[in-house]
């Protein structure tokens, strides 16, 4: 169990889903805070749902308010950075770039990517936490 | 535990900074939680809120409830900068900005609005472990002054200065570091509080200083009394106490520079170099120094990385500073970057302000905001010179990166002039070796007569480093001014890694050669550098002698030296030497700034300065003008350093023409802030 959890965790790093920031989170987990990482991740997902919805809504309105989109995405990106979600962050940056040049198509497309990565990571982390919990 | 308690009884430091009471504000719950946990891990007492308004409410309810505020920049209910301003104004607590966006413009904005520091997400715990310094720094500049405890760092200087109105000093001290923002705003307005109450924070911006100097000149230095000066200046919100304390510093500065060979002319001419950058720094530096006198603020750096209080000009934003900018102006880079640059450039050119304010200049020289220097240095100086540059934003903490600062008082003055940034060091430079200024002084150093001094001082600084070994002068330099070797973060680490401090001394000399060349990416710079380097080298080699020569005949010597150096100043080589030296110097210098200069830097600064000087020389001269008396001599670096400046100036003087301005000396964090 433990090995499986470790394996899964390493895979996440190797495959670029997570970066060093995640390590920082793990460092903060200790006796006083035994479930810190999981808590933060959960918080992230809860909060990000709100932001994603907001972006979706804003994308539907025409003309597109790029400034607003950029702002929301900035928030979202801040969160992803904090937990070390590497791939998601990359897509966020890309999205912001499209916003900057006012590329609507690009934004819409990229946003799909963001959501995808976001969901994919969620699944993987959930698996990992599950395993880690069982291993304990 | 309360901060006061900790501060008051020395022993209370055992568990400090544990227990630091932090208020964290961020509308992003994920980030907030992370921040909270990180802070708790540092053993701080954390209170969080996701609303800026709530934060203000809590702060207003009880001003003593918190020691420090950390706030995100982008918040829905209130702009982070606004919150920052309000907290600074109302509660005078140190505020650290936080953002996922690390765009330098935003960072600059943060600094100009008064942030003690600007962190980029994701924040690492190491960064948070150091935030307590901002608290101490602030505290020191306030109550401490009153106790005459003279912020240690500042002691050297402040003692020299005598005990000007505490209020003023405190105010100024506060300014030291984080006053970048004030600086930009020309906080005269902050003086509304009576001296007795919260110290009015007066930011002696270049403008203000210029007016001051003009008034003094008009009245005649003998007859210049605070009351009349105040009337003449006709500035709202400025109190007699502010003027009095500033005058005191100024007088000290004058004394200091007058003792230095008046190479100014040369220097100024040299510095006059068009380089706006350089010049920019210079002018500021002058202020910086001066400022440092008063209150030694903070390096920005950070920075410089900060920054530093008192909107020291020093905060020159390094961007300009890049070695290229060695022009004194760059050193000065006040937070306002823009304003500064403008002013500086103006200064640089002709420094009309400078000209008029010769005196002020000298003051400026003090410490080109060593703090800023740091910043400057970092950014641009590359070699160390950047330290000057570091002045700006880089939170110059030590800001005084002026390696030049080491230049001893003279430089200090120089540095100070520009140093606005040096703030912290400023004071020091003023009093002591003006090392404090050093950082900012770098610029100043250039300007300052201190070049000679600076140079000498640097030599003195170096003394310790032994780099210079020869710096016979150093003794004088060093001894004279308490250089705050520490203060002089001479070279910003960024640059060459010169250790700022001894910036001048060792590094300057050795590094100078290298430094000069190093950061300067420009071929021009290289060119200069060589010159500078040459000088530097000369300096180093000839240690004391050179200094003497240099100082005095900077214009003369420097060129000579440079010439020699040019030949061999292999840029890279220099840097190395600088580094080493800087290290040494740093020790000696006490790292003027924090050794930002990385040793090399300082020298570089000088070098850079020099080089720049050469090119800019005129420009620089102008800048140094701030330093004014300082024989800007080529001491580019000194500009930033303030205290070192003097020394550096000496060194730079030679180079004056060049671009010392860039304080890469590594003033970077000159200790002004911390403690001058």
């Amino acid at each position: 169990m433990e090995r499986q959890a470790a394996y899964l965790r390493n895979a996440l790093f190797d495959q670029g889903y997570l970066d060093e920031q995640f390590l920082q989170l793990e460092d903060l987990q200790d006796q006083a805070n035994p479930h810190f990482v999981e808590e933060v991740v959960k918080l992230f997902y809860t909060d990000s749902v709100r932001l994603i919805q907001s972006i979706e809504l804003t994308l539907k309105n025409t003309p597109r308010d790029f400034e607003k989109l950029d702002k929301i995405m900035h928030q979202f990106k801040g969160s992803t950075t904090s937990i070390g979600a590497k791939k998601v962050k990359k897509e966020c940056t890309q999205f912001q770039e499209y916003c900057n040049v006012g590329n609507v198509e690009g934004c819409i497309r990229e946003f799909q990517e963001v959501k995808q990565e976001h969901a994919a990571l969620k699944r993987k982390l959930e698996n990992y936490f599950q395993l880690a919990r069982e291993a304990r | 535990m309360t901060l006061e308690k900790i501060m008051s009884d020395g022993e209370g430091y055992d568990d400090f900074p544990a227990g630091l009471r932090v208020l964290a504000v961020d509308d992003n719950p994920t980030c907030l939680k992370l921040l909270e946990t990180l802070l708790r891990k540092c053993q701080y007492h954390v209170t969080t809120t996701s609303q800026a308004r709530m934060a203000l409410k809590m702060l207003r309810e009880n001003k003593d409830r918190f020691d420090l505020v950390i706030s995100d920049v982008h918040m829905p209910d209130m702009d982070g900068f606004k919150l920052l301003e309000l907290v600074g104004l109302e509660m005078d607590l140190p505020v650290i900005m936080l953002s996922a966006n690390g765009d330098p413009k935003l960072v600059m904005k943060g600094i100009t609005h008064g942030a003690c520091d600007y962190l980029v997400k994701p924040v690492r715990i190491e960064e948070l472990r150091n935030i307590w310094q901002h608290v101490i720094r602030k505290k020191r500049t306030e109550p401490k002054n009153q106790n005459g405890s003279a912020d240690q760092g500042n002691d050297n200087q402040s003692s020299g200065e005598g005990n000007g109105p505490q209020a003023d000093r405190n105010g100024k001290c506060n300014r030291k570091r984080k006053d970048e923002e004030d600086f930009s705003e020309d906080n005269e307005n902050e003086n509304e509080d009576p001296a007795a109450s919260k110290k009015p924070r007066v930011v002696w911006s270049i403008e203000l200083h210029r007016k001051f100097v003009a008034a003094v000149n008009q009245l005649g230095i003998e007859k210049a009394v605070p009351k009349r000066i105040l009337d003449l200046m006709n500035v709202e919100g400025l109190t007699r106490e502010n003027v009095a304390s500033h005058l005191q510093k100024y007088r000290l500065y004058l004394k200091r520079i007058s003792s230095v060979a008046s190479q100014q002319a040369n220097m100024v001419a040299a510095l006059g170099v068009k380089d706006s950058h350089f010049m920019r720094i210079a002018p500021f530096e002058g202020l910086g120094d001066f400022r440092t006198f008063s209150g030694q603020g903070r390096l920005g750096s950070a920075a410089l990385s900060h920054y530093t209080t008192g909107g020291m000009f020093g905060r020159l934003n390094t961007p300009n500073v890049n070695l290229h900018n060695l022009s004194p102006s760059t050193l000065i880079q006040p937070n306002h970057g823009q304003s500064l640059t403008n002013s500086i450039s103006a200064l640089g050119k002709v420094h009309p302000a400078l000209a008029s304010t010769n005196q002020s200049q000298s003051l400026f020289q003090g410490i080109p905001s060593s703090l800023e220097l740091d910043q400057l240095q970092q950014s641009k100086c590359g070699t160390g010179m950047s330290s000057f540059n570091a002045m700006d934003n880089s939170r110059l903490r030590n800001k005084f990166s002026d390696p030049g600062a080491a230049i001893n008082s003279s430089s200090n003055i120089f540095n100070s002039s520009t140093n606005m940034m040096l703030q912290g060091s400023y004071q020091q430079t003023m009093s002591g070796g003006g090392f404090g200024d050093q950082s900012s002084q770098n610029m100043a150093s250039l300007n300052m007569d201190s070049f000679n001094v600076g140079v000498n001082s640097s030599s003195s600084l170096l003394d310790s480093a032994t780099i210079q070994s020869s710096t016979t002068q150093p003794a004088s330099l060093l001894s004279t001014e308490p250089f705050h070797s520490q203060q002089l973060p001479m070279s910003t680490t960024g640059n060459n890694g010169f250790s700022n401090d001894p910036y001048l001394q060792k590094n300057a000399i050795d590094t100078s050669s290298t430094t000069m060349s190093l950061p300067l990416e420009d071929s021009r710079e290289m060119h200069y550098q060589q010159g500078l380097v040459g000088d530097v080298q000369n300096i180093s080699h000839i240690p004391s002698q050179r200094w003497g020569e240099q100082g005095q005949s900077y214009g003369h010597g420097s060129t000579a030296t440079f010439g020699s150096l040019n030949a061999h100043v292999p840029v890279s080589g220099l840097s190395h030497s600088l580094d080493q030296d800087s290290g040494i110097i740093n020790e000696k210098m006490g790292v003027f700034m924090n050794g930002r200069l990385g040793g090399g830097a300082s020298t570089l600064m000088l070098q850079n300065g020099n080089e720049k000087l050469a090119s800019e020389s005129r420009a620089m001269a102008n800048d140094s003008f701030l330093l004014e008396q300082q024989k800007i001599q080529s001491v580019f670096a000194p500009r930033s350093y303030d205290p070192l400046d003097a020394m550096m100036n000496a060194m730079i003087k030679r180079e004056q023409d060049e671009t010392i301005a860039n304080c890469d000396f590594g003033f970077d964090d000159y200790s002004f802030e911390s403690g001058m």
Side-chain angles (χ1 to χ4, degrees):
Chain A
M1 249 331 144
E2 242 177 66
R3 233 173 326 127
Q4 269 185 296
Y7 177 80
L8 193 52
R9 177 183 166 280
N10 290 341
L12 285 172
F13 279 101
D14 293 339
Q15 290 165 12
Y17 283 98
L18 299 173
D19 60 24
E20 317 79 51
Q21 180 59 22
F22 195 79
L23 292 173
Q24 288 260 331
L25 292 182
E26 290 182 328
D27 277 346
L28 288 172
Q29 185 159 296
D30 54 16
Q31 288 205 342
N33 234 333
H35 308 292
F36 178 66
V37 186
E38 203 174 333
E39 283 170 9
V40 177
V41 171
K42 268 212 203 107
L43 189 54
F44 166 72
Y45 276 100
T46 314
D47 183 50
S48 55
V49 165
R50 172 179 62 90
L51 291 169
I52 288 181
Q53 278 174 353
S54 180
I55 295 181
E56 289 217 339
L57 216 57
T58 313
L59 266 178
K60 289 211 174 73
N61 294 339
T62 50
R64 284 6 187 266
D65 187 347
F66 288 109
E67 202 179 303
K68 181 161 181 212
L69 284 171
D70 185 71
K71 247 173 112 187
I72 308 173
M73 184 47 85
H74 177 81
Q75 288 272 318
F76 183 73
K77 191 168 150 199
S79 304
T80 64
T81 312
S82 296
I83 67 162
K86 199 166 168 190
K87 282 196 180 182
V88 184
K89 181 168 147 195
K90 195 160 135 261
E91 305 297 342
C92 287
T93 310
Q94 190 62 46
F95 180 88
Q96 280 183 305
E97 283 177 20
Y98 282 126
C99 275
N100 287 342
V101 300
N103 184 343
V104 180
E105 281 248 334
C107 278
I108 298 179
R109 229 181 335 150
E110 191 56 39
F111 186 57
Q112 297 307 316
E113 295 289 328
V114 170
K115 281 195 290 186
Q116 260 179 21
E117 289 295 341
H118 180 256
L121 180 63
K122 182 170 183 201
R123 279 196 311 270
K124 292 190 187 280
L125 283 175
E126 273 175 355
N127 280 349
Y128 166 63
F129 288 133
Q130 176 79 24
L131 280 175
R133 246 180 285 132
E134 288 170 18
R136 265 188 240 128
Chain B
M1 67 179 78
T2 69
L3 215 45
E4 285 72 15
K5 184 169 188 301
I6 294 175
M7 312 268 294
S8 49
D9 48 48
E11 309 87 30
Y13 281 99
D14 287 354
D15 39 352
F16 186 79
L20 190 70
R21 298 159 306 159
V22 183
L23 174 62
V25 191
D26 193 336
D27 65 312
N28 187 323
T30 313
C31 298
L32 189 61
K33 179 158 176 84
L34 176 61
L35 183 61
E36 181 185 11
T37 312
L38 282 168
L39 290 167
R40 288 247 159 80
K41 195 95 185 196
C42 297
Q43 295 182 294
Y44 300 150
H45 283 162
V46 191
T47 308
T48 62
T49 173
S50 59
Q51 310 239 333
R53 303 219 177 270
M54 176 55 106
L56 264 178
K57 183 159 165 291
M58 286 199 273
L59 287 164
R60 282 174 180 150
E61 268 170 15
N62 184 355
K63 305 215 166 147
D64 282 332
R65 193 172 153 202
F66 300 105
D67 298 315
L68 177 81
V69 179
I70 298 187
S71 164
D72 186 48
V73 167
H74 301 282
M75 289 192 287
D77 63 333
M78 187 195 291
D79 182 27
F81 295 117
K82 186 94 176 68
L83 175 66
L84 162 62
E85 273 181 13
L86 289 173
V87 174
L89 277 171
E90 294 182 29
M91 294 111 211
D92 195 26
L93 282 177
V95 181
I96 294 179
M97 300 305 295
L98 200 56
S99 176
N101 188 341
D103 182 12
K105 293 204 203 78
L106 265 188
V107 177
M108 168 66 122
K109 192 170 175 195
I111 303 299
T112 56
H113 280 78
C116 284
D117 209 342
Y118 191 109
L119 304 176
V120 181
K121 293 184 194 168
V123 181
R124 290 179 322 235
I125 196 165
E126 298 81 31
E127 295 178 282
L128 293 175
R129 286 204 198 278
N130 289 330
I131 59 178
W132 57 269
Q133 62 176 282
H134 302 295
V135 182
I136 299 285
R137 196 176 295 116
K138 237 184 196 301
K139 294 287 180 185
R140 270 171 61 96
T141 59
E142 291 175 23
K144 289 294 184 181
N145 290 341
Q146 316 230 330
N147 308 333
S149 54
D151 317 326
Q152 283 110 29
N154 306 325
D155 290 339
N156 300 331
Q157 300 173 347
S158 36
S159 51
E161 313 179 60
N163 309 301
Q166 293 298 347
D168 286 340
R169 205 146 31 125
N170 293 340
K172 307 243 168 75
C173 287
N174 294 336
R175 286 241 160 276
K176 273 197 271 206
R177 190 161 176 290
K178 83 182 249 223
D179 283 346
E180 282 143 351
E181 82 212 12
D182 294 338
F183 172 71
S184 53
E185 299 164 356
D186 220 8
N187 286 316
E188 295 137 1
N189 317 327
E190 306 240 24
N191 283 334
E192 52 244 0
D193 301 337
S197 63
K198 177 171 160 97
K199 294 99 198 180
R201 303 202 279 162
V202 179
V203 175
W204 282 91
S205 63
I206 300 265
E207 292 286 335
L208 201 51
H209 186 71
R210 213 179 323 153
K211 278 197 190 157
F212 169 83
V213 177
V216 169
N217 289 338
Q218 193 174 331
L219 291 168
I221 190 66
E222 298 304 318
K223 290 223 163 74
V225 282
K227 182 81 177 66
R228 304 201 58 202
I229 296 175
L230 183 64
D231 290 342
L232 268 179
M233 282 177 73
N234 192 21
V235 168
E236 277 241 350
L238 197 63
T239 70
R240 198 200 68 80
E241 287 79 22
N242 298 138
V243 175
S245 112
H246 195 68
L247 177 65
Q248 189 170 24
K249 298 200 176 94
Y250 187 66
R251 285 219 178 95
L252 280 164
Y253 166 74
L254 288 181
K255 232 193 270 168
R256 228 200 310 243
I257 47 185
S258 64
S259 59
V260 179
S262 49
Q263 303 278 339
Q264 292 183 13
N266 303 339
M267 302 275 303
V268 175
L271 294 176
V273 193
K274 44 307 189 106
D275 267 357
S276 51
H277 287 299
F278 205 100
M279 301 296 291
R280 280 198 282 232
I281 306 188
F284 280 103
E285 297 199 335
L287 276 181
D289 269 343
F290 205 64
R291 268 234 224 171
T292 42
F293 287 119
S294 49
Q296 308 258 321
R298 143 155 147 62
L299 249 188
S301 174
L304 225 17
S305 221
H306 31 123
Y307 317 106
T308 43
T309 56
M312 294 266 286
F313 283 98
R315 290 305 178 124
L316 294 180
N317 296 303
T318 52
N320 303 322
V321 187
N322 287 326
L323 297 180
H324 302 290
N325 298 321
L326 284 181
S327 54
S329 49
T330 36
L331 286 177
I332 309 205
Q333 300 219 357
N335 301 316
H336 299 295
Q338 301 176 350
S339 53
L340 277 177
T341 50
N342 293 337
S343 44
I344 303 192
S345 40
L347 287 170
K349 307 291 188 74
V350 179
H351 291 307
L354 293 172
S356 54
T357 57
N358 288 342
Q359 303 162 339
S360 47
Q361 303 228 337
S362 40
L363 289 176
F364 283 99
Q365 301 183 338
I367 314 188
S369 50
S370 42
L371 299 178
E372 307 219 350
L373 287 179
D374 288 335
Q375 301 188 347
L376 288 175
Q377 300 190 339
Q378 298 179 349
S379 53
K380 291 324 195 93
C381 294
T383 45
M385 296 292 289
S386 44
S387 32
F388 275 117
N389 297 322
M391 307 229 303
D392 46 65
N393 315 312
S394 51
R395 313 190 216 229
L396 294 182
R397 286 157 335 193
N398 297 312
K399 305 316 176 129
F400 277 114
S401 45
D402 304 278
I407 309 212
N408 293 328
S409 52
S410 45
S411 47
N412 295 333
I413 308 207
F414 265 111
N415 296 329
S416 349
S417 48
T418 41
N419 292 323
M420 311 227 295
M421 307 202 290
L422 293 181
Q423 300 182 351
S425 48
Y426 192 77
Q427 296 212 331
Q428 306 206 347
T429 41
M430 290 288 292
S431 51
F435 277 96
D437 299 340
Q438 307 189 341
S439 38
S440 46
Q441 302 240 338
N442 290 322
M443 294 271 311
S445 36
L446 289 176
N447 301 320
M448 312 188 298
D449 295 306
S450 37
F451 269 120
N452 284 323
V453 178
V455 174
N456 292 321
S457 30
S458 37
S459 52
S460 46
L461 289 178
L462 294 174
D463 260 332
S464 41
T466 63
I467 298 186
Q468 300 289 339
S469 64
S470 53
T471 54
T472 52
Q473 307 224 344
S476 54
L477 288 173
L478 286 177
S479 51
T480 48
E481 323 249 308
F483 273 129
H484 297 301
S485 33
Q486 312 151 6
Q487 302 269 327
L488 297 182
M490 304 223 323
S491 44
T492 44
T493 50
N495 299 315
N496 295 309
F498 296 111
S499 38
N500 305 323
D501 316 29
Y503 149 74
L504 292 185
Q505 311 232 329
K506 300 223 212 148
N507 302 319
I509 307 207
D510 295 322
T511 50
S512 49
S513 48
T514 46
T515 47
M516 306 238 303
S517 47
L518 304 180
L520 299 178
E521 291 161 330
D522 289 357
S523 49
R524 225 185 15 158
E525 296 184 329
M526 297 277 306
H527 182 71
Y528 289 118
Q529 299 192 333
Q530 303 209 327
L532 284 175
V533 173
D535 279 342
V536 174
Q537 296 204 345
N538 293 327
I539 305 190
S540 48
H541 302 317
I542 312 199
S544 43
Q545 302 172 2
R546 282 312 174 96
W547 289 101
E549 302 176 340
Q550 312 262 339
Q552 289 130 24
S553 52
Y554 264 108
H556 216 45
S558 48
T559 35
T561 31
F562 281 113
S564 49
L565 287 177
N566 294 325
H568 39 243
V569 175
V571 180
S572 52
L574 289 176
S575 47
H576 295 318
S577 52
L578 285 175
D579 286 318
Q580 298 164 356
D581 290 334
S582 43
I584 310 185
I585 302 195
N586 289 328
E587 299 169 354
K588 280 303 205 107
M589 306 279 303
V591 189
F592 292 137
M593 298 292 292
N594 277 319
R596 285 283 283 253
L597 289 185
S602 53
T603 36
L604 284 181
M605 304 269 310
L606 287 181
Q607 301 194 338
N608 292 327
N610 292 333
E611 298 197 336
K612 292 283 187 166
L613 282 178
S615 51
E616 324 247 277
S617 58
R618 303 316 153 199
M620 301 270 312
N622 294 335
D623 288 321
S624 41
F625 191 53
L626 281 180
L627 299 180
E628 116 166 327
Q629 319 253 349
Q630 314 266 350
K631 315 333 190 115
I632 307 195
Q633 306 236 345
S634 65
V635 183
F636 293 103
R639 289 291 181 96
S640 37
Y641 320 105
D642 290 339
L644 288 179
D645 288 336
M647 293 228 341
M648 298 296 299
N649 287 329
M651 298 199 36
I652 302 196
K653 289 238 184 171
R654 300 184 308 172
E655 310 297 17
Q656 296 193 340
D657 323 345
E658 284 115 15
T659 49
I660 306 192
N662 299 318
C663 28
D664 288 334
F665 288 105
F667 290 134
D668 43 338
D669 313 30
Y670 74 58
S671 45
F672 269 89
E673 304 195 317
S674 42
M676 308 247 313

